[in-house]
Amino acid sequence: MATSEFTVWPGHPYPLGATWNGKGVNFALFSEHAEEVSLCLFHPENQQALQCVALKEHTDQVFHCYLPQARPGLLYGYRVKGPYRPEEGFRFNPHKLLLDPYAKAIVGKMKCSEAHYGYRVSHRREDLSFDERDNADLMPKCQVIDSGFSWDDDRRPDVPWHETVIYELHVKGMTQRHPQTPPRLRGTYAGLASEPVIRHLKQLGITAVELMPVHTFVDEPHLMEKKLTNYWGYNSIGYFAPDFRYATNGTIGDFKTMVKTFHQHGIEVILDVVYNHTAEGNHLGPTLCFRGIDNTAYYRLKPDNPRFYTDYTGCGNTLNMMHPRVLQLIMDSLRYWVLEMHVDGFRFDLASALARELHEVDKLGAFFDIIHQDPVISQVKLIAEPWDLGEGGYQVGNFPVGWTEWNGKYRDSVRAFWKGEGGLIGDLAYRLTGSSDLYETSGRRPYASINFVTCHDGFTLQDLVSYNHKHNKANGEENRDGTDHNLSWNCGVEGPTDDPEIRALRAQQKRNLMATLLFSQGVPMLRHGDELSHSQGGNNNAYCQDNEISWLNWELDTEDQAFLEFVRQVIRLRREHPLFRRRRFFQGHPIHGKDVKDIVWLNPDGHEMNEEEWSQHAAHCLGVFLSGAEMNEVDERGRPEVDDDLVLLFNADSDSLSFQLPVFGRESHWTRLLDTSVNNGLAAEDRFKAGDNYPLQGRSLALLMRPRKPYPEKNIFSWFKAHQ
């Protein structure tokens, strides 16, 4: 191995990582307990070892050097020497090549081998032993990058929360089977930003795409043994590096071009990020990065036995948010993706794990404090998955202001109601109106609730109405994995069927669920492929299925095309009616001294619900009147917003009923905009008199409108006077 190719200067302890300054490259690595650190350099084309540089400079627990001859494209990794005493939490092993936690690019694929483990796998005492095999030839390598990119006049679309419609997607699965995407672009960042995909999203009315993890990740050993992969990507190992398995040119420019293209079309890019755990797993996992750099600093270890990890994630380990350098790592990563990669927000996987201080979830913990004071990160969209697997980890409604949350209670309430479970109308009313029971008292708005019926984790919408039970045998775990609490209903037959009545009922149930989602207050999130009626064959945990189980099928039959058109029209109705996008909660009080309230809950007789009716266990029907008069909100130009009066009718019972349409102060006609039981849901605009009985079919939802004139400009001052 050559030892004199690169001149070595002292360099600087900041910034961490490998930084090209136009003349050379500075390398800096934090390790609190390391004794020696070596920087190993590899040829950018064949990954042959070039040189190992001992980092003799050590400042504030950071090892650093500067190589004036180094250039972008150079590959590197680290070897870190220190104590190997697992019973005390120390797991240094200089025989293992380690990834840089701050690497901006990671190239190559990790090859399955026992050499990645710091201990001898077959040893009787397992991780207490010490393995001296070198894994450098089997490891991916970090790459020095030139961050230059022509962003031109790229700007964040900055879509207000109440206008946002999120589309959760997988980069590969979205386009791998898309017939109009060029074959070489399928399954890539470029394919995702291709013209046919952009057109599809815009025709739907999507304002933000939420990408499942694109931080560099690796496959778990047990999956590689089964010849499966971690398709979803929730196994991160590089928090600064976009995964190159989705890149066409093998550069970070692929990702930047994708973001730039989305922004040109007014679509935001949100990243699903996994800062709660890493791919190194528990004490029996491989040594790839953090474990070998400083195990006791990066991970939460059991205080009484630091050989083992505190696991709030179910993935073997939990990052140590109480260590300032770990907090710095996450904050530096978030800031990098906003400032350098131009993303518009983040969805934090298992966010409760990030909020734990000593043990309990603390919404005033250091992580939230540092987010809120940061002038960059605090200004982008922040979404929490508000639970983890630890004690007290279910924290829906408990995150601080400035955060939105995946609302799991919304998902469960809506599923259970349309499944036909009784006694849920009270809970459904809360979910339809933005979950004020969860968010209002803390000063948050309806858009704090990210509403969803399906997501990547669980049944697709098609499977939700087609299966009573999960069918996960393809995962190789004898159908033990995945939740059994699906709140699904197969409409009479398990799985595919040619029975026209069952197929029609399933299509109607899908319309019910989708319309409920999009007519609810809060931010709707669609799972990719639901609008295409994508099925995973009943697999509700397809995390390891990188195949046609997960890849979207864009070849639609007549039924699928009809549902796609229905979804487009429902999103259009949401966009056209600001009543569905309120920035404040309904109050249920008369509007400025008038007789009509801003919201009235109705029984089938057309009267306001009383307390006794709310508590009826067998109730499956509910109506709601939404007043469009003076919504106590203003538009972007400061003008008072008004809308048409709207009535939503819900009937989850199998029997039809007559629902009397309200009068409320003025007799006029109600126009039907949508009925999920009529003509694929896109009903003719029939008119009904106020006070008439509307024929609400079994298991259906209807939307009716009573028009109002736009608010006259000349009365704007009187409106402000009335609101003082």
Side-chain angles (χ1 to χ4, degrees):
M1 180 182 296
T3 58
S4 59
E5 294 183 14
F6 290 90
T7 301
V8 181
W9 295 352
H12 303 281
Y14 185 87
L16 292 169
T19 306
W20 160 249
N21 64 1
K23 298 180 180 180
V25 180
N26 192 82
F27 294 88
L29 179 77
F30 157 76
S31 180
E32 183 175 353
H33 299 100
E35 296 169 355
E36 297 177 11
V37 172
S38 296
L39 170 67
C40 298
L41 307 174
F42 301 86
H43 195 282
E45 295 180 3
N46 56 24
Q47 296 198 16
Q48 291 298 307
L50 297 176
Q51 182 178 354
C52 268
V53 176
L55 302 190
K56 300 184 181 300
E57 298 295 328
H58 186 206
T59 307
D60 297 332
Q61 300 176 345
V62 176
F63 294 80
H64 53 90
C65 76
Y66 181 85
L67 305 183
Q69 297 162 309
R71 296 292 181 266
L74 181 67
L75 304 182
Y76 71 99
Y78 287 102
R79 297 184 187 276
V80 182
K81 183 179 179 181
Y84 188 84
R85 296 193 294 270
E87 65 279 4
E88 298 177 22
F90 298 112
R91 294 180 178 272
F92 295 100
N93 188 330
H95 302 284
K96 310 304 171 184
L97 186 74
L98 305 174
L99 297 173
D100 179 0
Y102 278 75
K104 304 302 190 301
I106 297 175
V107 300
K109 185 176 181 180
M110 188 179 80
K111 299 175 184 176
C112 187
S113 172
E114 292 183 358
H116 294 305
Y117 295 81
Y119 60 94
R120 296 195 297 278
V121 174
S122 59
H123 192 270
R124 182 173 58 87
R125 299 186 68 190
E126 293 183 316
D127 63 305
L128 297 182
S129 62
F130 187 76
D131 186 270
E132 296 184 356
R133 285 173 292 183
D134 192 294
N135 70 334
D137 292 341
L138 308 169
M139 276 289 288
K141 310 295 189 298
C142 307
Q143 186 176 51
V144 178
I145 68 163
D146 181 348
S147 62
F149 181 79
S150 178
W151 285 104
D152 297 324
D153 59 349
D154 179 72
R155 295 183 181 181
R156 285 178 18 212
D158 204 19
V159 180
W161 264 124
H162 68 284
E163 303 279 356
T164 298
V165 179
I166 298 174
Y167 188 87
E168 185 201 30
L169 63 84
H170 187 280
V171 172
K172 182 176 182 178
M174 186 73 178
T175 63
Q176 186 67 17
R177 300 175 67 190
H178 199 300
Q180 298 176 23
T181 301
R184 71 179 187 86
L185 301 184
R186 291 174 188 169
T188 68
Y189 301 122
L192 189 58
S194 64
E195 189 276 333
V197 176
I198 295 285
R199 182 175 67 250
H200 174 75
L201 295 173
K202 295 193 73 172
Q203 288 176 344
L204 271 180
I206 300 303
T207 71
V209 291
E210 181 176 305
L211 311 187
M212 290 173 65
V214 296
H215 287 168
T216 297
F217 60 93
V218 297
D219 299 322
E220 293 93 327
H222 76 273
L223 290 178
M224 288 191 277
E225 291 172 2
K226 298 176 183 177
K227 300 189 183 306
L228 297 172
T229 63
N230 189 321
Y231 171 70
W232 284 355
Y234 291 90
N235 206 40
S236 301
I237 198 66
Y239 291 126
F240 293 78
D243 201 298
F244 279 174
R245 73 189 73 192
Y246 306 135
T248 53
N249 297 321
T251 69
I252 66 169
D254 287 355
F255 184 90
K256 293 180 177 181
T257 299
M258 177 196 69
V259 173
K260 180 179 177 180
T261 303
F262 274 123
H263 285 180
Q264 289 170 346
H265 292 276
I267 298 175
E268 296 181 309
V269 178
I270 298 170
L271 299 189
D272 192 339
V273 290
V274 189
Y275 294 115
N276 54 79
H277 75 279
T278 79
E280 292 184 300
N282 63 14
H283 63 292
L284 297 178
T287 297
L288 308 174
C289 180
F290 309 95
R291 172 177 284 135
I293 293 171
D294 200 324
N295 189 57
T296 61
Y298 278 109
Y299 291 119
R300 296 283 295 264
L301 307 180
K302 290 188 177 296
D304 56 342
N305 191 351
R307 174 186 174 188
F308 301 105
Y309 295 80
T310 301
D311 182 11
Y312 294 120
T313 66
C315 299
N317 62 57
T318 306
L319 277 176
N320 183 12
M321 300 299 296
M322 294 187 295
H323 196 288
R325 287 292 189 177
V326 178
L327 276 174
Q328 179 189 357
L329 170 76
I330 295 175
M331 295 300 294
D332 286 348
S333 170
L334 292 170
R335 219 174 283 116
Y336 175 81
W337 285 96
V338 174
L339 296 177
E340 184 62 35
M341 309 296 265
H342 286 209
V343 304
D344 304 282
F346 305 95
R347 178 264 188 189
F348 292 81
D349 181 66
L350 299 183
S352 292
L354 304 176
R356 291 183 183 272
E357 294 282 306
L358 293 176
H359 177 68
E360 295 182 352
V361 177
D362 182 2
K363 69 179 181 180
L364 299 179
F367 176 69
F368 295 110
D369 291 342
I370 200 169
I371 288 277
H372 288 168
Q373 62 80 39
D374 189 276
V376 173
I377 304 169
S378 64
Q379 298 307 303
V380 301
K381 286 182 165 66
L382 302 173
I383 305 171
E385 183 186 34
W387 50 78
D388 65 15
L389 299 186
E391 181 182 352
Y394 195 76
Q395 292 291 317
V396 173
N398 289 333
F399 276 68
V401 291
W403 285 77
T404 64
E405 304 174 13
W406 273 25
N407 190 343
K409 292 186 177 181
Y410 179 94
R411 172 201 58 205
D412 294 346
S413 296
V414 172
R415 285 187 178 190
F417 175 79
W418 285 115
K419 182 184 177 185
E421 296 184 7
L424 294 174
I425 58 174
D427 194 54
L428 179 69
Y430 273 121
R431 306 307 148 229
L432 292 172
T433 53
S435 296
S436 60
D437 58 328
L438 300 177
Y439 304 114
E440 188 173 24
T441 57
S442 61
R444 300 162 79 185
R445 300 289 186 90
Y447 48 75
S449 178
I450 305 296
N451 300 329
F452 65 104
V453 175
T454 59
C455 64
H456 70 273
D457 191 1
F459 279 146
T460 68
L461 185 63
Q462 181 67 37
D463 289 352
L464 190 67
V465 300
S466 303
Y467 294 90
N468 284 348
H469 310 286
K470 65 187 182 184
H471 297 264
N472 297 355
K473 291 198 176 170
N475 297 353
E477 299 180 43
E478 299 181 352
N479 210 39
R480 293 189 302 268
D481 62 305
T483 182
D484 294 310
H485 183 64
N486 295 296
L487 294 170
S488 60
W489 178 45
N490 65 18
C491 298
V493 173
E494 187 77 354
T497 179
D498 293 326
D499 188 313
E501 292 186 4
I502 292 178
R503 291 173 69 95
L505 178 56
R506 288 177 176 176
Q508 187 163 315
Q509 285 287 82
K510 287 195 300 179
R511 294 193 291 268
N512 291 333
L513 291 160
M514 187 63 72
T516 302
L517 172 65
L518 290 160
F519 293 155
S520 297
Q521 304 298 320
V523 179
M525 184 185 77
L526 283 68
R527 182 195 191 277
H528 80 160
D530 277 352
E531 78 282 10
L532 306 176
S533 302
H534 177 69
S535 171
Q536 294 180 163
N539 192 321
N540 75 349
N541 188 35
Y543 77 102
C544 56
Q545 299 300 324
D546 187 2
N547 50 50
E548 293 188 359
I549 292 176
S550 300
W551 304 339
L552 300 192
N553 179 14
W554 293 84
E555 301 291 342
L556 307 184
D557 61 23
T558 302
E559 291 180 6
D560 299 339
Q561 190 64 47
F563 184 65
L564 172 59
E565 183 58 29
F566 174 82
V567 177
R568 289 171 177 166
Q569 294 303 323
V570 175
I571 295 178
R572 177 185 61 80
L573 286 169
R574 177 185 178 85
R575 185 171 60 247
E576 291 177 352
H577 290 281
L579 268 176
F580 293 134
R581 299 177 279 104
R582 286 174 58 97
R583 283 158 282 175
R584 294 176 175 82
F585 290 103
F586 290 104
Q587 297 301 311
H589 302 311
I591 301 174
H592 310 306
K594 300 178 182 179
D595 293 335
V596 65
K597 299 178 180 179
D598 58 355
I599 185 170
V600 181
W601 298 100
L602 306 171
N603 62 25
D605 293 332
H607 300 138
E608 185 169 3
M609 297 267 291
N610 59 42
E611 291 297 326
E612 183 179 349
E613 289 171 319
W614 281 113
S615 60
Q616 290 178 354
H617 179 71
H620 294 88
C621 181
L622 181 67
V624 57
F625 166 84
L626 307 177
S627 175
E630 301 185 28
M631 295 165 52
N632 197 28
E633 298 189 7
V634 295
D635 63 20
E636 292 183 355
R637 295 173 59 184
R639 300 173 302 185
E641 280 194 323
V642 295
D643 196 358
D644 304 309
D645 293 337
L646 299 174
V647 162
L648 277 167
L649 307 178
F650 301 84
N651 181 16
D653 195 86
S654 58
D655 296 327
S656 60
L657 55 86
S658 295
F659 209 114
Q660 184 174 328
L661 298 174
V663 177
F664 292 138
R666 61 192 183 98
E667 295 187 9
S668 61
H669 287 85
W670 289 95
T671 300
R672 180 174 60 189
L673 299 181
L674 177 144
D675 188 319
T676 59
S677 70
V678 180
N679 296 331
N680 293 320
L682 305 177
E685 293 188 353
D686 293 338
R687 300 179 71 194
F688 300 83
K689 289 183 180 179
D692 281 356
N693 286 325
Y694 183 84
L696 187 62
Q697 301 302 306
R699 296 195 175 96
S700 70
L701 176 155
L703 170 67
L704 297 97
M705 172 194 71
R706 182 167 65 184
R708 287 180 176 272
K709 293 181 180 180
Y711 202 94
E713 288 277 348
K714 64 180 180 180
N715 289 333
I716 192 168
F717 295 109
S718 63
W719 182 90
F720 278 114
K721 183 177 180 180
H723 285 71
Q724 289 178 347

